[in-house]
Amino acid sequence: MHCENEKYILTLIYSGDEEYKPAIVNVTLTLTPVGGKINATIQMDNYTVKYSETENIVVNLNNDAFGSVLFEINNTDVSEIVNFTDGNCVFAYTANLNPGEYDLIATYTGNYMYRPISVNSTLKIEKLSSKITVENVTAKAGNVTLFEAKVVDELGNNIKNMNVNFSLNENLIGSNKTNSDGIVRLYYKLPASLYEKQYNIIARSTATETVLNSTGYATLKLKQLKTRVMVPDISTIPSKYITITATVVDEFNNSVTKGNITFKKDNTTIATVEVDNGYAKYQYESNYETASLSYIYANYVGDWKYSNSKGNGTYK
Protein backbone atom coordinates (compact mmCIF):
# COMPACT_ATOMS: atom_id res chain seq x y z
CA MET A 1 0.00 0.00 0.00
CA HIS A 2 1.31 3.51 -0.93
CA CYS A 3 1.25 6.12 1.82
CA GLU A 4 2.94 9.47 2.09
CA ASN A 5 3.58 9.02 5.83
CA GLU A 6 6.92 7.71 6.98
CA LYS A 7 5.45 5.81 9.92
CA TYR A 8 2.98 2.96 9.89
CA ILE A 9 1.11 1.25 12.71
CA LEU A 10 1.34 -2.54 12.64
CA THR A 11 -1.22 -4.45 14.65
CA LEU A 12 -0.23 -7.93 15.82
CA ILE A 13 -3.05 -10.19 16.93
CA TYR A 14 -2.42 -13.38 18.95
CA SER A 15 -5.40 -15.72 19.00
CA GLY A 16 -4.36 -17.49 22.18
CA ASP A 17 -4.41 -21.17 23.09
CA GLU A 18 -5.23 -23.44 26.06
CA GLU A 19 -2.46 -21.91 28.13
CA TYR A 20 -2.40 -18.23 26.98
CA LYS A 21 -5.10 -15.68 26.47
CA PRO A 22 -5.56 -13.81 23.15
CA ALA A 23 -3.65 -10.52 22.90
CA ILE A 24 -3.28 -7.47 20.59
CA VAL A 25 -0.10 -5.47 20.28
CA ASN A 26 0.43 -2.28 18.20
CA VAL A 27 3.91 -1.40 17.01
CA THR A 28 5.24 1.48 14.88
CA LEU A 29 7.03 0.75 11.64
CA THR A 30 9.21 3.55 10.32
CA LEU A 31 10.32 3.42 6.68
CA THR A 32 13.65 4.98 5.93
CA PRO A 33 15.11 4.96 2.42
CA VAL A 34 18.71 3.93 2.05
CA GLY A 35 20.77 7.09 2.16
CA GLY A 36 17.82 9.22 3.44
CA LYS A 37 15.17 11.26 1.65
CA ILE A 38 15.92 12.82 -1.72
CA ASN A 39 14.41 15.62 -3.82
CA ALA A 40 11.80 14.55 -6.33
CA THR A 41 12.02 15.66 -9.94
CA ILE A 42 8.93 17.85 -10.51
CA GLN A 43 7.73 19.59 -13.66
CA MET A 44 4.63 21.60 -14.65
CA ASP A 45 4.05 23.39 -17.95
CA ASN A 46 2.69 26.89 -18.49
CA TYR A 47 -1.01 26.87 -19.35
CA THR A 48 -3.33 29.04 -21.41
CA VAL A 49 -7.06 28.60 -20.93
CA LYS A 50 -10.16 30.50 -21.96
CA TYR A 51 -12.35 32.02 -19.26
CA SER A 52 -14.91 29.53 -17.84
CA GLU A 53 -13.35 26.59 -19.70
CA THR A 54 -11.78 23.60 -17.90
CA GLU A 55 -8.15 22.62 -18.37
CA ASN A 56 -6.30 19.60 -16.97
CA ILE A 57 -3.18 20.84 -15.17
CA VAL A 58 -0.59 18.05 -14.96
CA VAL A 59 2.31 17.76 -12.55
CA ASN A 60 4.93 15.16 -13.49
CA LEU A 61 7.17 13.63 -10.82
CA ASN A 62 9.37 10.54 -10.59
CA ASN A 63 7.58 7.41 -11.74
CA ASP A 64 7.68 5.92 -8.25
CA ALA A 65 6.44 9.08 -6.55
CA PHE A 66 3.06 9.05 -4.86
CA GLY A 67 1.21 11.16 -2.33
CA SER A 68 -0.63 14.46 -2.80
CA VAL A 69 -0.28 17.87 -4.44
CA LEU A 70 -1.88 21.18 -3.50
CA PHE A 71 -2.47 23.76 -6.28
CA GLU A 72 -2.38 27.52 -5.74
CA ILE A 73 -2.93 30.55 -7.95
CA ASN A 74 -1.26 33.75 -6.73
CA ASN A 75 -0.73 32.04 -3.33
CA THR A 76 -4.43 31.21 -2.94
CA ASP A 77 -5.56 27.60 -2.78
CA VAL A 78 -7.68 26.62 -5.77
CA SER A 79 -7.92 22.89 -5.16
CA GLU A 80 -8.52 20.31 -2.52
CA ILE A 81 -5.52 18.09 -1.89
CA VAL A 82 -5.14 15.97 -5.04
CA ASN A 83 -3.90 12.43 -4.39
CA PHE A 84 -1.95 10.59 -7.06
CA THR A 85 0.19 7.55 -7.79
CA ASP A 86 2.75 6.60 -10.43
CA GLY A 87 4.27 10.07 -10.65
CA ASN A 88 1.42 11.88 -12.42
CA CYS A 89 -0.96 14.29 -10.69
CA VAL A 90 -3.86 15.80 -12.67
CA PHE A 91 -6.04 18.71 -11.51
CA ALA A 92 -9.10 19.74 -13.56
CA TYR A 93 -9.17 23.53 -13.20
CA THR A 94 -12.13 25.64 -14.34
CA ALA A 95 -10.99 29.19 -15.12
CA ASN A 96 -13.24 31.42 -13.02
CA LEU A 97 -10.80 34.27 -12.46
CA ASN A 98 -10.81 37.39 -14.60
CA PRO A 99 -8.61 37.07 -17.68
CA GLY A 100 -4.95 37.85 -17.08
CA GLU A 101 -1.68 36.17 -16.12
CA TYR A 102 -1.30 34.40 -12.78
CA ASP A 103 1.37 32.52 -10.85
CA LEU A 104 0.50 28.82 -10.75
CA ILE A 105 2.08 26.87 -7.89
CA ALA A 106 1.95 23.12 -7.28
CA THR A 107 3.28 21.83 -3.95
CA TYR A 108 4.11 18.15 -3.52
CA THR A 109 3.78 17.13 0.15
CA GLY A 110 6.43 14.43 -0.16
CA ASN A 111 6.50 10.90 1.33
CA TYR A 112 8.96 8.60 3.04
CA MET A 113 11.29 8.69 0.03
CA TYR A 114 10.90 12.28 -1.27
CA ARG A 115 11.08 15.65 0.41
CA PRO A 116 8.26 18.22 -0.10
CA ILE A 117 8.87 20.39 -3.15
CA SER A 118 7.08 23.08 -5.16
CA VAL A 119 7.07 24.08 -8.80
CA ASN A 120 5.96 27.36 -10.36
CA SER A 121 4.59 28.15 -13.80
CA THR A 122 2.34 30.71 -15.47
CA LEU A 123 -1.41 30.41 -15.97
CA LYS A 124 -2.83 32.71 -18.63
CA ILE A 125 -6.60 33.14 -18.73
CA GLU A 126 -7.89 34.62 -21.98
CA LYS A 127 -11.15 36.35 -22.74
CA LEU A 128 -13.77 34.45 -24.69
CA SER A 129 -14.47 35.64 -28.22
CA SER A 130 -17.98 36.81 -29.03
CA LYS A 131 -20.28 36.82 -32.03
CA ILE A 132 -22.95 39.40 -32.79
CA THR A 133 -25.80 38.67 -35.19
CA VAL A 134 -27.75 41.65 -36.52
CA GLU A 135 -31.27 41.58 -37.95
CA ASN A 136 -31.95 43.05 -41.39
CA VAL A 137 -34.45 45.94 -41.36
CA THR A 138 -37.00 47.25 -43.86
CA ALA A 139 -38.42 50.65 -42.92
CA LYS A 140 -39.38 54.13 -44.10
CA ALA A 141 -37.40 57.33 -43.71
CA GLY A 142 -38.80 59.50 -40.93
CA ASN A 143 -40.32 56.61 -38.99
CA VAL A 144 -39.34 55.15 -35.60
CA THR A 145 -37.54 51.88 -36.40
CA LEU A 146 -36.40 48.90 -34.32
CA PHE A 147 -32.79 47.72 -34.63
CA GLU A 148 -31.99 44.38 -32.99
CA ALA A 149 -28.95 42.16 -32.46
CA LYS A 150 -27.96 39.13 -30.40
CA VAL A 151 -24.57 38.51 -28.77
CA VAL A 152 -23.18 35.13 -27.66
CA ASP A 153 -19.73 34.01 -26.56
CA GLU A 154 -17.70 31.32 -28.35
CA LEU A 155 -19.32 28.66 -26.17
CA GLY A 156 -22.78 29.71 -27.34
CA ASN A 157 -23.73 31.37 -24.05
CA ASN A 158 -25.86 34.53 -24.12
CA ILE A 159 -23.96 37.62 -22.95
CA LYS A 160 -25.85 39.88 -20.55
CA ASN A 161 -25.26 43.62 -19.97
CA MET A 162 -22.92 44.00 -22.93
CA ASN A 163 -23.00 47.44 -24.54
CA VAL A 164 -23.70 47.51 -28.29
CA ASN A 165 -23.35 50.56 -30.57
CA PHE A 166 -25.45 50.78 -33.74
CA SER A 167 -24.34 52.76 -36.80
CA LEU A 168 -25.71 53.43 -40.27
CA ASN A 169 -22.87 53.62 -42.79
CA GLU A 170 -20.44 54.40 -39.91
CA ASN A 171 -22.70 57.13 -38.48
CA LEU A 172 -23.51 56.31 -34.86
CA ILE A 173 -27.26 56.29 -34.16
CA GLY A 174 -27.36 54.97 -30.59
CA SER A 175 -26.50 52.21 -28.15
CA ASN A 176 -28.07 49.90 -25.60
CA LYS A 177 -27.20 46.88 -23.43
CA THR A 178 -28.04 43.23 -24.00
CA ASN A 179 -30.67 41.54 -21.83
CA SER A 180 -30.44 38.12 -20.17
CA ASP A 181 -31.09 36.48 -23.55
CA GLY A 182 -28.15 38.32 -25.12
CA ILE A 183 -30.53 40.49 -27.18
CA VAL A 184 -30.12 44.23 -27.58
CA ARG A 185 -32.81 46.51 -29.03
CA LEU A 186 -32.61 50.12 -30.15
CA TYR A 187 -35.58 52.23 -31.26
CA TYR A 188 -34.44 55.04 -33.51
CA LYS A 189 -36.31 57.58 -35.63
CA LEU A 190 -34.78 57.46 -39.09
CA PRO A 191 -33.98 60.90 -40.50
CA ALA A 192 -36.49 61.98 -43.13
CA SER A 193 -33.51 63.11 -45.22
CA LEU A 194 -32.22 59.56 -45.89
CA TYR A 195 -32.17 59.11 -49.66
CA GLU A 196 -30.25 55.94 -50.43
CA LYS A 197 -32.24 52.78 -51.12
CA GLN A 198 -30.20 50.84 -48.57
CA TYR A 199 -27.70 51.41 -45.78
CA ASN A 200 -25.25 49.22 -43.88
CA ILE A 201 -26.26 48.48 -40.30
CA ILE A 202 -23.13 48.04 -38.18
CA ALA A 203 -23.40 46.74 -34.61
CA ARG A 204 -20.27 46.84 -32.44
CA SER A 205 -20.16 45.29 -29.00
CA THR A 206 -17.87 46.64 -26.26
CA ALA A 207 -15.51 44.18 -24.58
CA THR A 208 -16.24 43.16 -20.98
CA GLU A 209 -13.89 41.82 -18.31
CA THR A 210 -14.35 38.30 -19.65
CA VAL A 211 -15.50 38.60 -23.29
CA LEU A 212 -13.91 40.24 -26.34
CA ASN A 213 -15.74 42.73 -28.54
CA SER A 214 -17.17 41.83 -31.94
CA THR A 215 -18.80 43.45 -34.97
CA GLY A 216 -21.85 42.39 -36.95
CA TYR A 217 -23.46 43.65 -40.14
CA ALA A 218 -26.93 43.78 -41.65
CA THR A 219 -28.85 45.86 -44.20
CA LEU A 220 -31.44 48.62 -43.85
CA LYS A 221 -33.73 48.85 -46.89
CA LEU A 222 -35.96 51.89 -47.32
CA LYS A 223 -39.49 51.58 -48.66
CA GLN A 224 -41.31 54.19 -50.74
CA LEU A 225 -43.25 56.83 -48.83
CA LYS A 226 -46.80 57.82 -49.56
CA THR A 227 -47.27 61.53 -50.32
CA ARG A 228 -50.04 64.10 -50.09
CA VAL A 229 -50.50 67.29 -52.15
CA MET A 230 -52.30 70.31 -50.70
CA VAL A 231 -53.42 73.18 -52.98
CA PRO A 232 -54.89 76.30 -51.36
CA ASP A 233 -58.01 77.82 -52.84
CA ILE A 234 -57.46 81.08 -54.71
CA SER A 235 -59.93 83.94 -54.46
CA THR A 236 -58.68 87.17 -55.97
CA ILE A 237 -59.75 90.26 -57.83
CA PRO A 238 -58.71 90.47 -61.48
CA SER A 239 -55.01 91.25 -61.71
CA LYS A 240 -52.17 91.01 -64.17
CA TYR A 241 -50.50 88.03 -62.40
CA ILE A 242 -51.90 85.06 -60.52
CA THR A 243 -49.72 82.96 -58.13
CA ILE A 244 -50.59 79.32 -57.55
CA THR A 245 -48.89 77.13 -54.94
CA ALA A 246 -48.86 73.57 -53.63
CA THR A 247 -47.36 71.83 -50.62
CA VAL A 248 -46.22 68.19 -50.70
CA VAL A 249 -45.57 66.12 -47.56
CA ASP A 250 -44.91 62.46 -46.96
CA GLU A 251 -47.00 60.13 -44.77
CA PHE A 252 -45.18 61.37 -41.66
CA ASN A 253 -45.85 65.03 -42.55
CA ASN A 254 -42.25 65.67 -43.56
CA SER A 255 -41.72 67.96 -46.53
CA VAL A 256 -40.61 66.07 -49.62
CA THR A 257 -37.23 67.11 -50.95
CA LYS A 258 -37.43 66.12 -54.59
CA GLY A 259 -39.92 65.76 -57.43
CA ASN A 260 -41.95 67.91 -59.80
CA ILE A 261 -45.45 69.33 -59.81
CA THR A 262 -47.48 69.99 -62.92
CA PHE A 263 -50.12 72.71 -62.43
CA LYS A 264 -53.32 72.63 -64.45
CA LYS A 265 -56.26 74.96 -64.58
CA ASP A 266 -59.21 72.81 -65.40
CA ASN A 267 -57.93 70.83 -68.42
CA THR A 268 -55.22 73.28 -69.41
CA THR A 269 -51.61 72.65 -68.35
CA ILE A 270 -50.08 75.81 -66.93
CA ALA A 271 -46.52 74.75 -65.99
CA THR A 272 -44.29 72.09 -64.45
CA VAL A 273 -42.04 73.21 -61.59
CA GLU A 274 -39.59 71.60 -59.20
CA VAL A 275 -40.53 71.02 -55.60
CA ASP A 276 -38.27 72.88 -53.17
CA ASN A 277 -38.44 71.67 -49.56
CA GLY A 278 -42.01 70.50 -50.02
CA TYR A 279 -43.19 73.67 -51.75
CA ALA A 280 -43.98 74.54 -55.38
CA LYS A 281 -45.00 77.95 -56.72
CA TYR A 282 -45.79 79.36 -60.12
CA GLN A 283 -46.89 82.81 -61.20
CA TYR A 284 -48.62 83.28 -64.51
CA GLU A 285 -50.02 86.25 -66.40
CA SER A 286 -53.80 86.56 -66.44
CA ASN A 287 -54.17 89.97 -68.12
CA TYR A 288 -56.98 90.86 -65.73
CA GLU A 289 -59.17 88.08 -67.01
CA THR A 290 -62.23 87.23 -65.02
CA ALA A 291 -63.66 83.74 -64.75
CA SER A 292 -66.29 81.75 -63.00
CA LEU A 293 -65.31 79.04 -60.49
CA SER A 294 -62.62 76.73 -61.85
CA TYR A 295 -60.12 74.23 -60.43
CA ILE A 296 -56.39 74.26 -59.99
CA TYR A 297 -54.82 70.77 -60.12
CA ALA A 298 -51.36 69.89 -58.89
CA ASN A 299 -49.98 66.52 -60.04
CA TYR A 300 -46.87 65.50 -58.11
CA VAL A 301 -44.38 63.07 -59.68
CA GLY A 302 -41.89 61.60 -57.21
CA ASP A 303 -39.25 58.89 -57.48
CA TRP A 304 -38.30 55.63 -55.73
CA LYS A 305 -38.58 57.36 -52.35
CA TYR A 306 -41.74 59.40 -52.88
CA SER A 307 -44.91 58.08 -54.50
CA ASN A 308 -46.92 60.11 -57.01
CA SER A 309 -49.97 61.97 -55.76
CA LYS A 310 -52.50 64.65 -56.75
CA GLY A 311 -54.25 67.56 -55.13
CA ASN A 312 -56.57 70.36 -56.17
CA GLY A 313 -58.00 73.69 -55.11
CA THR A 314 -60.48 76.21 -56.46
CA TYR A 315 -59.93 79.44 -58.32
CA LYS A 316 -62.47 82.20 -58.69
Side-chain angles (χ1 to χ4, degrees), residues 125-144:
I125 300 176
E126 296 182 335
K127 292 184 178 184
L128 293 168
S129 62
S130 65
K131 179 182 179 182
I132 184 166
T133 304
V134 191
E135 297 291 332
N136 291 321
V137 177
T138 300
K140 293 185 176 183
N143 197 21
V144 175

Side-chain angles (χ1 to χ4, degrees), residues 227-239:
T227 62
R228 179 164 53 97
V229 179
M230 295 165 285
V231 181
D233 295 333
I234 299 174
S235 179
T236 182
I237 60 175
S239 61

Side-chain angles (χ1 to χ4, degrees), residues 236-242 265 268 284-292 294 315-316:
T236 182
I237 60 175
S239 61
K240 186 174 182 180
Y241 297 100
I242 300 296
K265 182 180 178 184
T268 302
Y284 72 97
E285 189 173 355
S286 70
N287 293 321
Y288 302 97
E289 294 176 358
T290 59
S292 57
S294 57
Y315 169 74
K316 63 179 179 178

Side-chain angles (χ1 to χ4, degrees), residues 12-292:
L12 305 176
I13 303 174
Y14 173 59
S15 61
D17 57 18
E18 293 180 354
E19 184 177 355
Y20 298 101
K21 296 179 180 180
I24 298 176
V25 177
N26 292 325
V27 296
T28 300
L29 173 65
T30 301
L31 298 179
T32 303
V34 176
K37 289 188 177 184
I38 61 175
N39 291 328
T41 300
I42 187 169
Q43 185 268 335
M44 178 172 62
D45 291 335
N46 296 324
Y47 286 90
T48 299
V49 59
K50 291 288 187 73
Y51 175 79
S52 81
E53 292 189 334
T54 299
E55 178 75 17
N56 284 334
I57 297 175
V58 179
V59 173
N60 295 308
L61 295 103
N62 305 68
N63 291 336
D64 58 351
F66 60 90
S68 59
V69 172
L70 181 66
F71 291 86
E72 298 173 272
I73 293 178
N74 283 10
N75 296 315
T76 299
D77 293 352
V78 292
S79 74
E80 301 292 334
I81 291 177
V82 181
N83 296 315
F84 72 98
T85 59
D86 301 325
N88 290 304
C89 181
V90 180
F91 168 49
Y93 171 68
T94 300
N96 55 6
L97 297 173
N98 283 342
E101 287 195 0
Y102 298 88
D103 291 327
L104 178 62
I105 305 168
T107 300
Y108 172 48
T109 58
N111 60 18
Y112 80 94
M113 292 187 296
Y114 295 108
R115 299 186 185 98
I117 190 170
S118 295
V119 63
N120 292 54
S121 67
T122 299
L123 172 66
K124 183 178 181 181
I125 300 176
E126 296 182 335
K127 292 184 178 184
L128 293 168
S129 62
S130 65
K131 179 182 179 182
I132 184 166
T133 304
V134 191
E135 297 291 332
N136 291 321
V137 177
T138 300
K140 293 185 176 183
N143 197 21
V144 175
T145 302
L146 171 63
F147 294 87
E148 185 174 311
K150 182 178 176 68
V151 190
V152 297
D153 64 28
E154 63 184 82
L155 305 177
N157 300 312
N158 299 328
I159 304 176
K160 182 181 179 180
N161 289 329
M162 193 174 204
N163 190 71
V164 176
N165 296 321
F166 288 91
S167 299
L168 289 180
N169 285 6
E170 298 295 346
N171 296 311
L172 182 66
I173 61 173
S175 64
N176 208 348
K177 292 184 179 293
T178 56
N179 60 22
S180 58
D181 296 320
I183 295 174
V184 56
R185 296 182 177 93
L186 175 70
Y187 288 91
Y188 173 70
K189 185 176 181 179
L190 295 175
S193 59
L194 293 182
Y195 224 104
E196 301 296 328
K197 289 186 177 181
Q198 69 179 43
Y199 291 81
N200 293 322
I201 304 171
I202 307 170
R204 294 185 174 94
S205 64
T206 303
T208 68
E209 288 185 339
T210 58
V211 182
L212 295 169
N213 63 303
S214 58
T215 303
Y217 300 89
T219 301
L220 166 66
K221 293 183 178 180
L222 293 183
K223 295 193 296 184
Q224 190 179 58
L225 292 160
K226 297 177 182 178
T227 62
R228 179 164 53 97
V229 179
M230 295 165 285
V231 181
D233 295 333
I234 299 174
S235 179
T236 182
I237 60 175
S239 61
K240 186 174 182 180
Y241 297 100
I242 300 296
T243 300
I244 53 178
T245 62
T247 302
V248 190
V249 296
D250 66 25
E251 59 190 274
F252 303 114
N253 288 321
N254 297 306
S255 298
V256 304
T257 56
K258 291 185 180 181
N260 296 304
I261 280 185
T262 298
F263 287 109
K264 290 185 177 183
K265 182 180 178 184
D266 294 328
N267 293 321
T268 302
T269 297
I270 299 173
T272 297
V273 297
E274 272 190 34
V275 175
D276 182 11
N277 195 29
Y279 186 72
K281 179 176 73 171
Y282 183 73
Q283 188 178 66
Y284 72 97
E285 189 173 355
S286 70
N287 293 321
Y288 302 97
E289 294 176 358
T290 59
S292 57

